Amino acid sequence: TVVIVPSFDGPTFWPTLARHNVTTMFGVPTLWQRALEAPGAADAARHGVHWLLCGGASMPLRLHERYRAVGLALRQGLGMTEAGINLCT
């Protein structure tokens, strides 16, 4: 299932992921920074989110560390625009 929202909305970001049982989410570093500041970020790991993937720009190490501190794994994907960062061998 793919969930598409019209734009980022901090107060509804984590509740939307929980409501739709989202387990994998793709975003750019700016989105992940804003999501971490949104209500519910600290509880997101309890709602079944397994993969948070970051691409489109370099992810600051501090951002990765802050997600790790709340129990979420934010991973950086680089290159292979045509195949996407979710392709592996």
Side-chain angles (χ1 to χ4, degrees), residues 17-56:
L17 269 60
R19 184 173 62 254
H20 293 284
N21 298 311
V22 171
T23 58
T24 305
M25 173 72 187
F26 298 89
V28 297
T30 303
L31 177 137
W32 293 121
Q33 178 62 44
R34 292 182 62 199
L36 193 59
E37 296 165 356
D43 298 323
R46 294 185 308 169
H47 297 295
V49 177
H50 300 291
W51 290 96
L52 301 178
L53 302 166
C54 185

Side-chain angles (χ1 to χ4, degrees), residues 8-16 38-39:
F8 180 85
D9 180 52
T12 64
F13 180 79
W14 296 110
T16 299

Side-chain angles (χ1 to χ4, degrees), residues 69-84:
V70 296
L72 293 168
L74 178 61
R75 304 286 188 227
Q76 174 80 58
L78 300 171
M80 298 210 39
T81 301
E82 299 82 6

Side-chain angles (χ1 to χ4, degrees), residues 60-73:
L61 178 59
R62 180 72 182 126
L63 184 58
H64 169 76
E65 292 168 343
R66 290 182 63 206
Y67 268 89
R68 200 169 172 191
V70 296
L72 293 168

